[in-house]
Every structure is written in structure tokens, then in C-alpha cells.
Amino acid sequence: MLKAIPETWVCKVAQTSKRGTPDILMCMSGVFVAIELKTDTGKTSKLQDYNLDRVAKSRGIAIVMTPKNMHEMLERLKAIAQIFSLNCKANETWR
């Protein structure tokens, strides 16, 4: 689903990653997005909240996605991708 958003790179973080790291990291039209996946009744830990807050304070997008809000979050991401794809065309790898 996320890979269908134009100009998007998505990485599902492995279970062996650093604790508190969001489940999905992605770059969408030049915007960094961190997604924590939870069940409808699941709660984020203090460390997950801390990391999501750091992403948001760094002008990235931090999302807690559940089955209940998944459709709304995907629609928001698609809308944001359209806005930023019009304004950002940096498409090179620095080496």
C-alpha cells in the first residue's frame, strides 16, 4: 500500500533493530515519515513516543497507524505526497 504512493521509498524495520525505532521508515517526495504499527488496542511505549516526538520535532511526519485509522492515514500521506512532489525535485544521491 505505501509503495503505491508516488516518489516513495519504504523500509520495514527488522525485529532486530534498535528498541523504540518505528516499524516503518520512509521518504515520500523528500519528506521523512516514521510509522509505528499498533493494533486498535495497542499502546506505544515511552521510548516509541520519544522517537516519534523526535521525528515530529525534526519536521518529519510521525504516525501511529492502526487498522482502525489506516485508511485515513494513507489518504493523508497521499495528499502530502502530492503537495511535496510539486515543490521538491531533489533526486540525486550524494557520494
Side-chain angles (χ1 to χ4, degrees):
M1 289 177 283
L2 295 171
K3 291 179 183 179
I5 299 172
E7 299 179 11
T8 300
W9 171 84
V10 179
C11 176
K12 173 74 172 101
V13 178
Q15 295 295 332
T16 58
S17 67
K18 184 177 174 185
R19 289 182 53 125
T21 301
D23 296 310
I24 297 173
L25 303 175
M26 58 190 275
C27 185
M28 180 184 68
S29 299
V31 178
F32 182 79
V33 180
I35 302 174
E36 184 61 43
L37 301 174
K38 292 292 176 192
T39 64
D40 285 330
T41 58
K43 304 287 183 202
T44 53
S45 69
K46 287 183 181 184
L47 185 55
Q48 289 168 331
D49 288 338
Y50 171 80
N51 284 322
L52 290 170
D53 188 52
R54 292 290 307 268
V55 168
K57 286 181 178 175
S58 299
R59 300 185 65 189
I61 297 173
I63 297 171
V64 177
M65 188 179 287
T66 65
K68 192 174 188 176
N69 74 7
M70 185 184 326
H71 179 73
E72 177 188 353
M73 294 300 124
L74 290 172
E75 290 305 311
R76 285 184 183 186
L77 287 171
K78 288 175 188 175
I80 291 166
Q82 283 186 320
I83 292 166
F84 280 94
S85 69
L86 298 174
N87 297 320
C88 181
K89 288 297 176 191
N91 58 358
E92 64 183 47
T93 301
W94 293 7
R95 299 183 191 269

